[in-house]
Each structure stands twice: as structure tokens, then as C-alpha cells.
């Protein structure tokens, strides 16, 4: 989906204050990106351009850092966040196939958000529920022993 | 400072503290293979091909980054070292498309050469291949991440030497790729097309857009009258494509080769360089006498032009409005020359041989149609011309020396030195001085603006006034000069900027390798060309004088403005 910048108002003010604090300090890049992502929930393109100008770090290098660390995301999060556990136990009990089904169902890759903004998908390592594998979490709900056939039902419960 | 004693393959060497094992080995005459290493610019120890054994060390060490220590005993050629280097190269090759036979860099590829030198006779690891496709969005350069070995030399040049940083290392692990931000196509970002990346790339992961097929087609078309112009820097470099020494002056052979390829007229960009000086010197005098805007900044280097449009748009009024010699030539070829020769300009096909990848972009700027057609149809780099000559099968070194055609082939030494950093400034000063004072210059050699130093300054006394000039080569140096102008630290009247280190002789379209030594030798050759020419001032060029008399009127006149001057476009920063 197109990444639209939702700049404006409160968040813009917060970002400007953040950038003012670190203006001309290239070494502060990672902490600025952290805080910018806290403000927006993700890192919109326009925000990265502003960070590049304020800190005097070329945009290509800013994006290099953003794309290196999996913590950073350039995609806005969906209303519901799906985490698929690919820890060892879940993996051996079919997490990979589960993920494949989710990708097909949602038509997105891990790290992305569906076009309607409903779901975002991510892969996590071990949710501490190994005995219940394969496990997925949707928002705060843990779904245990998920078989691929159950995915449509699980998702429809969350659709608005 | 006391020297460090180190033994390499049994040979004692003394080196200053801080010397790397690689440098010490070179001093001892011991060759250690390298791939990611780029002298003085990028030393990251990533490729692991320079591994050596150091007695007492737990593992093999990378000679490019490890420093020599007192009493160190180094072995560069043990079975363990050879084995490790070979395995590392095999691993690099495991996801490299082995298309050598059909690759642009076939026979001039560092990876290929290393595979031969290290004796890699098989690649036992068949791995996944790069998920990224070819990016041919730029009119000047093509990226092929499949062939990238992630040595990062291009990234270092783009950032450190050019201060552009259009490309950087993106993503992570197997997905790592050298690309612009957001993995955007190169043609859509603030890449200035200078092509320095293509000069340092060890493989064909980033290379010039090859347009030789378009030129072959034009040459084979009986309806077309194909004329060619050769930039000043090409005559001192193209010989390197055929094994001649760097800095060999091959002007006559170049002309002969072009004629044999089938070009109908072989002309010289040096002629247009003389013309540029007539226009630019007059523009300079006009600005000097009419309150600016000063400093006047030169406009011959298309990489520099795109750079200022992206990064310093506030200085665009300072740019000379003169087109580059390439574009002046094109505009005249399809007007003045067409008229004189009685040829329909629609049938004239103009090819440029340039040391430059950015010229390809320049030729396609929408404003470059002053003649009513594309003023320049195709730009070939020195490398592309070299390939055409090879394809034609000529033995370049034994070609006879031939002369350019008239009238657009007549030039002076001032036109020739456009090919080196400081040359445009020197050529302009030779003419501006004599026009302003009415006196004859005692010495034509403005030594202060010559040489490979990144930033040069000079003060020239003219009519009791001091004219302050600066010359920068390499865009990061340009940045430094411009910043001192903007913050008021320095005041200059005239600034010359060339995008590439050393000027056009170090251009992104020049033969590979282009390094410090080849640059120095090409510069020396350019000034030798100048010294050997009977005329060394642009305003004394008889063909240029005739052009004004017969066609243009006077410098900066109405027709000049129509054909020879241009305007610029502020561009987005990113």
C-alpha cells in the first residue's frame, strides 16, 4: 500500500521539538529514529527526510539504518497486530505453514500492513507458550494450536 | 619517530608506526590480493581475500586493516593462507552470476582476475542468488545488484569524495544491497550521474549505460550524416584501453579510428571549448563590470550542474549561463555546420565521445534542443568507444595519425586544458586578461590553478584590480568552497568546479582503472598537448573567429543566447 504521511498537528510539533534537540548531531540518529517512531507509530518517508536534513545525515544512510534494524518500520501498523511465533517449538509444529497461509490470506509480507489498514503482520521469537504451539497473537489475545484452516475464522472476529 | 621492524615472507622491512601489513608488504615487493580495499578511501576488511598468517596470532588476519607491530613475522603464501583466500572467494562467487562471457567487464573485472590468480577451479557452494533485479532507470548508469560483491567502494566514493551519498548499504543479511534510500531507482534520486561509482566497482554491478548499439545503427544508416566530437580528456586516456601507457597522447590515432568506424566528419569538442571561453570570458567581464552576480561559477561539468541544482539551488544565479562545450557543439553542428555544408539538420546525427557518464544525462535535458532537434543524439563514454574500436578489430596502437576535419575541428591549447582541473579557469583567464587589459600575457601558464589538489586558489592582477579565483575538483571539495562563500568566509570573483577528482581526465566514463597515478599522468599529458599547440588562447582560434564573423555576430549576442546559453532547474534535495 502507499505509505501516506499523517503529519500534522500534535505529532508534527513533537517531531519538530525532537529534531530541534538533536539538530546537527549525526551520532544521535538511532535515538532520534526511536523517538520519531514512538510519535508516529512508524517512520513515514517525510519524517525520514526531515531527520536527514536536521541531523545532517544523508537520506540513503538514514534508510540504511532503518532497514537494518528490525525494530524500525516504515509501514504504519494496522488496527490489529498479528504476531506469528517462529520460536523453535512453534516452528517444528508448523509455524512456517501458518505464516504462509496468513501471507496468502492477508496478501502482505511480515512487516507490512493490509491495504485496508485492518491487520499488520509480524514474526516474533517465542511468546513463552511453547506447549501451545503453534501460537499466534492478535493484539493481546493468544491463539493456541492454530491450524491453518482456523485462520479465516480467527481473522473475521477482529474485522471491523 | 622510530620505525617498526617486521618480517614478511622472510624479508625484513622497516615501516613507520601505523602502517598496515598490506602497505608494508607492498613496500617489500610482496603482493597480497585485495578486493574491497580502496586506497585511502575505504578500508573495511570485509572481503577477507587479503588474509595472511602472523606468527603467534590465533587466526589469519586481514592485511588491509591489521597494523604492523614490532618484531612481527608475517607469511603471505602458506597452504593455510592460500586455502582460506580461495574458500572466501568461492563463497563470494557462490551468489555471483557467472556470466563472464557476456559481461560488460569481461577481461577487465577484478573478481574474474582474482579467481584466476587465486586458482579457483571450482565453486562448490551453490547458494541462493540476489533477490534484486537490474535498475536501468538512470540515463547514465545501470545498477546490477546481482553482480555486487558488497565491497562498498562505490558507497565510499559517493559519500566521501563526492559528498552526494545517493547510494548506501540497505537492508540486512542476505538481503543486503547497495541502493538509494527506500530502494528507489537511481534515476529518481539526487544521483548526479558522475559515474565515480562505476570507476571503482570491481565488477559490473554499476556501469555506464551502453549505447554503442545506437551508434552502430546510425553509422550503418545511409540516410544519416554522422558527425562525432571528442572531448579533451579522451585523447590522453583512450589508449589505455589498448594497453598503452596512461597519459599516452593519441589524438591522431583517435581521429583515424573514428574515421575508420565510419563517422562522416570527425570534429573536436576542443573547438567548442574555445567557443565556451569566448562566451564565458565575456560573461565574466560583464558581471565584473556590472555588479555581478559574483562569484561566477563554471558550468561545463554536468555532474556538478545536477549537484548544484539539488544541493545549492540558491547559488544557481551564480552559475555561468554558458552551455557546456558538448552542448554548444551539438547546437552548432545542426545549425552553423548544417548550413555551411548544405545538409538537412534532420539528417545529422551527433555523437559525443566523453570521459563522462553525466554527459548522457546532460544531452537529454529538455532544454538541449536549441537547433530544433536533440543537439546531441548519443553520448558515448571513453570506455564505450574503446569497445567499439575493439569490436571493429582495429589495432589501435598501429593506426596512423590523422587530423580533425574543418572547421569544427580547429582548436587551441586553451580548449585542450578543459580536460584537467583548473583548465577552464586558466583558459578563461588567458582570454579575459587580454580582453580586459588589451595587453599580451607574458606567461600563459597559471601554475597555481594546476595540479590534483582538491581546492586551489589564486589571485590574478588585472588592470590594478585583484581577481580572486578558486578551483575545486571532486564534489565534496566543491561543497567546502561553496560553504565558505555562503557563510561569507571567502570572497571570490570566479570559481571553477569539476565534479570528478582531477577533472574530466578522472571522469566516470574513463578507462578502468582510473586512480591517482593514471590521473596524474593524464593531467601531465593534457598540459603537454597545450604546450605543443601553436595557438594557446581561445580568442586566437581562427575557426571561432570565423564563426562569429559568419554566423553568431558577437559573444553574448542574440544568436549566442539562443544557441549557446541555457538555464537551470532547482531540484528536490532527495
Amino acid at each position: 500500500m502507499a505509505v501516506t504521511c499523517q503529519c500534522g498537528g500534535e505529532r508534527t510539533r513533537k517531531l519538530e521539538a525532537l529534531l530541534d534537540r538533536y539538530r546537527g548531531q549525526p551520532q544521535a540518529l538511532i535515538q532520534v529514529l526511536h523517538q520519531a517512531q514512538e510519535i508516529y507509530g512508524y517512520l513515514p518517508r517525510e519524517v525520514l527526510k526531515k531527520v536527514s536534513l536536521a541531523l545532517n545525515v544523508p537520506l540513503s544512510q538514514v534508510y540504511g539504518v532503518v532497514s537494518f534494524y528490525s525494530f524500525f518500520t516504515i509501514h504504519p501498523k494496522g488496527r490489529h497486530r498479528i504476531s506469528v511465533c517462529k520460536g523453535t517449538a512453534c516452528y517444528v509444529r508448523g509455524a512456517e505453514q501458518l505464516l504462509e497461509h496468513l501471507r496468502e490470506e492477508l496478501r502482505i509480507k511480515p512487516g507490512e500492513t493490509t491495504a485496508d489498514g485492518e491487520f499488520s503482520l509480524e514474526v516474533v521469537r517465542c511468546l513463552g507458550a511453547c506447549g501451545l504451539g503453534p501460537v499466534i497473537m492478535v493484539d493481546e489475545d493468544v491463539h493456541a494450536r492454530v491450524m491453518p484452516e482456523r485462520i479465516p475464522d480467527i481473522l473475521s472476529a477482529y474485522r471491523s | 619517530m622510530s620505525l617498526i621492524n617486521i618480517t614478511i615472507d622472510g624479508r625484513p622491512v622497516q615501516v613507520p608506526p601505523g602502517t598496515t601489513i598490506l602497505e608494508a608488504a607492498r613496500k617489500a615487493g610482496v603482493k597480497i590480493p585485495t578486493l574491497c580495499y580502496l586506497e585511502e578511501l575505504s578500508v573495511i576488511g570485509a572481503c577477507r581475500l587479503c588474509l595472511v598468517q602472523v606468527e603467534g596470532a590465533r587466526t589469519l588476519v586481514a592485511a588491509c586493516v591489521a597494523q604492523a607491530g614490532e618484531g612481527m613475522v608475517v607469511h603471505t603464501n602458506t597452504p593455510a593462507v592460500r586455502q582460506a583466500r580461495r574458500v572466501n572467494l568461492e563463497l563470494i562467487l557462490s551468489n555471483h552470476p557467472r556470466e563472464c562471457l557476456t559481461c560488460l567487464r569481461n577481461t577487465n573485472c577484478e573478481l574474474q582476475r582474482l579467481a584466476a590468480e587465486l586458482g579457483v577451479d571450482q565453486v562448490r557452494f551453490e547458494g541462493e542468488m540476489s533477490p534484486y533485479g537490474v535498475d536501468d532507470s538512470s540515463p547514465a548508469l545501470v545498477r546490477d545488484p546481482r553482480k555486487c560483491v558488497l565491497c562498498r567502494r562505490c558507497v565510499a566514493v559517493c559519500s566521501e569524495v563526492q559528498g552526494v551519498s545517493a547510494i548506501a548499504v540497505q537492508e540486512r543479511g542476505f538481503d543486503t544491497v547497495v541502493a538509494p534510500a527506500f530502494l528507489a531507482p537511481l534515476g529518481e534520486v539526487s544521483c548526479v550521474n558522475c559515474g565515480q561509482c562505476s570507476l571503482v566497482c570491481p565488477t559490473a554491478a554499476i556501469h555506464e549505460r551502453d549505447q554503442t548499439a545506437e551508434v552502430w545503427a546510425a553509422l550503418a544508416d545511409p540516410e544519416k550524416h554522422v558527425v562525432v566530437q571528442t572531448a579533451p580528456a579522451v585523447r590522453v586516456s583512450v589508449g589505455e584501453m589498448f594497453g598503452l601507457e596512461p597519459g599516452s597522447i593519441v589524438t591522431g590515432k583517435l581521429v583515424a579510428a573514428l574515421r575508420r568506424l565510419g563517422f562522416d566528419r570527425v570534429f573536436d569538442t576542443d573547438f567548442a571549448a574555445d567557443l565556451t571561453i569566448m562566451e564565458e570570458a565575456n560573461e565574466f567581464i560583464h558581471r565584473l563590470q556590472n555588479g555581478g552576480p559574483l562569484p561566477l561559477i563554471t558550468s561545463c561539468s554536468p555532474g556538478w550542474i545536477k549537484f548544484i541544482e539539488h544541493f545549492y539551488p540558491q547559488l544557481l544565479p551564480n552559475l555561468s549561463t554558458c552551455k557546456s562545450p558538448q552542448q554548444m557543439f551539438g547546437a552548432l553542428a545542426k545549425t552553423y555546420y548544417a548550413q555551411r555544408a548544405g545538409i538537412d539538420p534532420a539528417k545529422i546525427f551527433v555523437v559525443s565521445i566523453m570521459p563522462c557518464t553525466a554527459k548522457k544525462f546532460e544531452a537529454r535535458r529538455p532544454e538541449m534542443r536549441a537547433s530544433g532537434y536533440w543537439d546531441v543524439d548519443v553520448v558515448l563514454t571513453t570506455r564505450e568507444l574503446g569497445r567499439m574500436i575493439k569490436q571493429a578489430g582495429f589495432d589501435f596502437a598501429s593506426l596512423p595519425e590523422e587530423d580533425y576535419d574543418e572547421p569544427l575541428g580547429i582548436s587551441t591549447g586553451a580548449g585542450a586544458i578543459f580536460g584537467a582541473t583548473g583548465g577552464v579557469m586558466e583558459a578563461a583567464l588567458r582570454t579575459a586578461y587580454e580582453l580586459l587589459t588589451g595587453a599580451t600575457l607574458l606567461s600563459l601558464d597559471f601554475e597555481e590553478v594546476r595540479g590534483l589538489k582538491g581546492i586551489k586558489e589564486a589571485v590574478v592582477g588585472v588592470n590594478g584590480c585583484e581577481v580572486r579565483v578558486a578551483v575545486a575538483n571532486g564534489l565534496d571539495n566543491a561543497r567546502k568552497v561553496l560553504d565558505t562563500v555562503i557563510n561569507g568566509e571567502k570572497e571570490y570573483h570566479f570559481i571553477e568546479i569539476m565534479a570528478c577528482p582531477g577533472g574530466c581526465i578522472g571522469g566516470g566514463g574513463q578507462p578502468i582503472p582510473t586512480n591517482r597515478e593514471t590521473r596524474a599522468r593524464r593531467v601531465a599529458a593534457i598540459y603537454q598537448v597545450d604546450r605543443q599547440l601553436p595557438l594557446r588562447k581561445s580568442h586566437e582560434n581562427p575557426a571561432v573567429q570565423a564563426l562569429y564573423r559568419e554566423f553568431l555576430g558577437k559573444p553574448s549576442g542574440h544568436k549566442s543566447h539562443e544557441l549557446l546559453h541555457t538555464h537551470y532547474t532547482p531540484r528536490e534535495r532527495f
Side-chain angles (χ1 to χ4, degrees):
Chain A
M1 71 177 272
V3 181
T4 49
C5 173
Q6 297 158 11
C7 311
E10 179 63 16
R11 294 194 294 190
T12 310
R13 271 193 301 281
K14 277 188 180 166
L15 179 70
E16 291 303 330
L18 171 69
L19 296 180
D20 278 339
R21 203 151 62 245
Y22 293 101
R23 207 165 286 279
Q25 297 178 40
Q27 71 282 5
L29 178 61
I30 289 182
Q31 64 205 84
V32 169
L33 290 173
H34 256 273
Q35 293 179 46
Q37 183 159 303
E38 234 161 68
I39 296 170
Y40 288 87
Y42 72 111
L43 292 166
R45 233 169 234 246
E46 292 308 315
V47 168
L48 294 183
K49 289 181 181 176
K50 285 181 180 174
V51 169
S52 161
L53 287 175
L55 271 59
N56 203 14
V57 178
L59 187 62
S60 60
Q61 290 170 21
V62 171
Y63 187 75
V65 169
V66 170
S67 61
F68 183 86
Y69 291 107
S70 55
F71 174 82
F72 295 125
T73 173
I74 57 166
H75 301 288
K77 288 282 170 246
R79 276 179 288 282
H80 304 289
R81 186 165 160 175
I82 306 172
S83 311
V84 180
C85 179
K86 268 178 86 175
T88 313
C90 290
Y91 187 85
V92 298
R93 298 179 72 156
E96 188 65 45
Q97 293 90 310
L98 205 51
L99 184 62
E100 207 41 58
H101 267 80
L102 275 163
R103 287 175 61 149
E104 273 168 33
E105 185 77 24
L106 299 170
R107 298 210 188 104
I108 53 171
K109 295 195 292 257
E112 294 179 351
T113 301
T114 52
D116 58 6
E118 199 71 65
F119 296 103
S120 51
L121 179 64
E122 61 185 59
V123 170
V124 295
R125 306 284 161 190
C126 198
L127 293 165
C130 303
L132 305 174
V135 169
I136 69 171
M137 272 185 86
V138 182
D139 299 334
E140 301 303 314
D141 311 331
V142 175
H143 296 265
R145 298 205 179 93
V146 183
M147 292 301 119
E149 312 81 73
R150 279 179 54 208
I151 286 172
D153 286 344
I154 293 175
L155 294 183
S156 64
Y158 292 92
R159 282 191 212 275
S160 45
Chain B
M1 203 191 304
S2 61
L3 295 177
I4 285 172
N5 295 288
I6 155 171
T7 307
I8 302 178
D9 293 345
R11 289 179 229 185
V13 202
Q14 283 199 321
V15 291
T19 306
T20 62
I21 295 176
L22 178 67
E23 290 159 347
R26 286 184 177 178
K27 200 176 164 200
V30 173
K31 186 176 169 188
I32 295 174
T34 58
L35 178 60
C36 67
Y37 176 80
L38 189 58
E39 200 171 356
E40 286 177 2
L41 213 56
S42 184
V43 183
I44 55 175
C47 74
R48 317 309 284 179
L49 294 188
C50 65
L51 291 178
V52 294
Q53 189 189 336
V54 175
E55 283 186 15
R58 200 171 44 85
T59 58
L60 300 179
V61 302
C64 69
V65 286
Q67 292 189 357
E70 180 57 41
M72 199 180 252
V73 179
V74 179
H75 303 281
T76 75
N77 196 14
T78 66
V81 164
R82 284 196 303 272
Q83 162 82 358
R85 288 176 184 167
R86 214 162 34 225
V87 168
N88 287 341
L89 186 51
E90 257 187 274
L91 286 166
I92 292 171
L93 290 171
S94 71
N95 67 341
H96 186 84
R98 298 194 282 282
E99 306 165 355
C100 297
L101 288 180
T102 51
C103 179
L104 202 65
R105 291 287 294 271
N106 189 15
T107 73
N108 186 18
C109 168
E110 289 182 41
L111 194 62
Q112 195 182 44
R113 183 173 48 74
L114 282 165
E117 287 178 2
L118 299 192
V120 173
D121 52 8
Q122 58 174 336
V123 178
R124 290 164 295 177
F125 318 113
E126 287 299 336
E128 244 182 278
M129 301 303 267
S130 164
Y132 302 101
V134 173
D135 169 11
D136 66 352
S137 60
S138 156
L141 296 158
V142 177
R143 285 174 54 238
D144 189 350
R146 300 175 311 132
K147 293 180 179 171
C148 179
V149 295
L150 297 174
C151 69
R152 292 151 168 84
R153 283 157 43 162
C154 54
V155 174
V157 166
C158 193
S159 139
E160 309 298 317
V161 178
Q162 298 301 60
V164 171
S165 292
I167 46 174
V169 182
Q170 314 296 357
E171 306 292 336
R172 166 179 200 161
F174 193 78
D175 292 331
T176 305
V177 64
V178 172
F182 307 105
L183 309 187
L186 197 61
E188 293 172 17
V189 301
S190 47
C191 165
V192 304
N193 305 308
C194 73
Q196 287 297 311
C197 50
S198 69
L199 278 185
V200 298
C201 181
T203 71
I206 189 152
H207 59 81
E208 69 279 9
R209 173 183 288 281
D210 185 294
Q211 294 182 280
T212 53
E214 293 167 55
V215 176
W216 282 123
L219 289 171
D221 184 344
E223 288 298 304
K224 287 205 166 83
H225 180 78
V226 188
V227 306
V228 65
Q229 57 168 326
T230 63
V234 177
R235 70 206 63 198
V236 297
S237 63
V238 69
E240 293 164 37
M241 301 276 299
F242 307 95
L244 299 180
E245 283 293 303
S248 300
I249 301 170
V250 293
T251 319
K253 292 182 193 300
L254 171 62
V255 173
L258 290 166
R259 220 163 257 146
R260 278 159 181 69
L261 285 173
F263 288 99
D264 295 299
R265 288 290 180 279
V266 182
F267 290 138
D268 199 354
T269 314
D270 289 20
F271 163 85
D274 280 332
L275 180 62
T276 304
I277 287 302
M278 293 304 292
E279 294 293 325
E280 196 158 349
N282 274 283
E283 182 183 21
F284 177 56
I285 292 168
H286 181 81
R287 290 200 193 190
L288 208 54
Q289 292 171 342
N290 295 280
L294 292 173
L296 175 68
I297 313 180
T298 58
S299 57
C300 302
S301 166
W304 149 242
I305 296 300
K306 191 153 183 273
F307 180 86
I308 185 175
E309 288 176 331
H310 282 297
F311 299 103
Y312 291 90
Q314 72 273 33
L315 289 179
L316 286 177
N318 291 75
L319 268 189
S320 164
T321 60
C322 289
K323 286 181 184 170
S324 71
Q326 154 168 289
Q327 294 303 140
M328 286 198 183
F329 177 93
L332 287 176
K334 293 193 181 180
T335 55
Y336 174 63
Y337 169 71
Q339 208 173 303
R340 255 181 76 121
I343 300 170
D344 177 1
K347 292 186 172 161
I348 297 181
F349 192 87
V350 175
V351 177
S352 308
I353 312 298
M354 294 284 142
C356 182
T357 45
K359 288 280 171 197
K360 289 175 183 277
F361 173 85
E362 180 186 60
R364 281 297 165 275
R365 294 177 75 107
E367 56 273 23
M368 296 303 174
R369 296 177 63 103
S371 63
Y373 308 89
W374 284 119
D375 295 332
V376 171
D377 291 282
V378 175
V379 177
L380 297 182
T381 58
T382 313
R383 296 196 289 272
E384 289 164 273
L385 174 66
R387 289 200 291 272
M388 284 185 75
I389 295 172
K390 283 181 184 172
Q391 286 165 27
F394 307 147
D395 177 13
F396 186 82
S398 60
L399 286 174
E401 311 263 331
E402 293 182 8
D403 288 326
Y404 285 103
D405 290 310
E406 293 185 5
L408 307 187
I410 298 171
S411 64
T412 74
I417 58 176
F418 263 60
T421 165
V424 175
M425 177 60 69
E426 181 167 344
L429 288 175
R430 289 179 189 175
T431 288
Y433 182 91
E434 297 204 348
L435 292 182
L436 273 168
T437 62
T440 304
L441 268 172
L442 292 177
S443 165
L444 290 183
D445 301 336
F446 291 84
E447 293 287 348
E448 300 106 303
V449 298
R450 295 185 181 183
L452 288 173
K453 218 172 109 193
I455 298 172
K456 294 165 281 187
E457 293 177 294
V459 178
V460 183
V462 181
N463 281 352
C465 296
E466 288 191 336
V467 174
R468 288 184 301 279
V469 306
V471 173
N473 63 101
L475 290 170
D476 197 55
N477 291 319
R479 240 181 223 285
K480 288 178 189 145
V481 170
L482 297 181
D483 288 342
T484 63
V485 169
I486 288 169
N487 65 28
E489 214 177 297
K490 296 270 178 137
E491 280 186 29
Y492 299 111
H493 296 100
F494 198 1
I495 300 174
E496 177 209 283
I497 291 173
M498 294 193 190
C500 292
C504 312
I505 51 92
Q510 288 283 61
I512 296 170
T514 288
N515 51 38
R516 209 164 25 161
E517 196 205 331
T518 51
R519 284 189 183 98
R521 293 170 73 169
R522 292 174 197 159
V523 167
I526 282 270
Y527 287 104
Q528 195 184 330
V529 171
D530 172 35
R531 270 198 309 279
Q532 289 172 347
L533 281 167
L535 295 176
R536 297 178 62 201
K537 298 172 214 167
S538 297
H539 52 287
E540 293 178 354
N541 182 329
V544 169
Q545 290 168 349
L547 169 67
Y548 279 110
R549 217 169 35 240
E550 295 166 12
F551 187 70
L552 287 175
K554 60 180 193 334
S556 292
H558 176 69
K559 210 151 194 174
S560 288
H561 272 279
E562 220 168 72
L563 293 174
L564 310 181
H565 289 258
T566 187
H567 59 272
Y568 305 103
T569 317
R571 293 173 196 270
E572 294 285 322
R573 175 68 170 269
F574 301 111

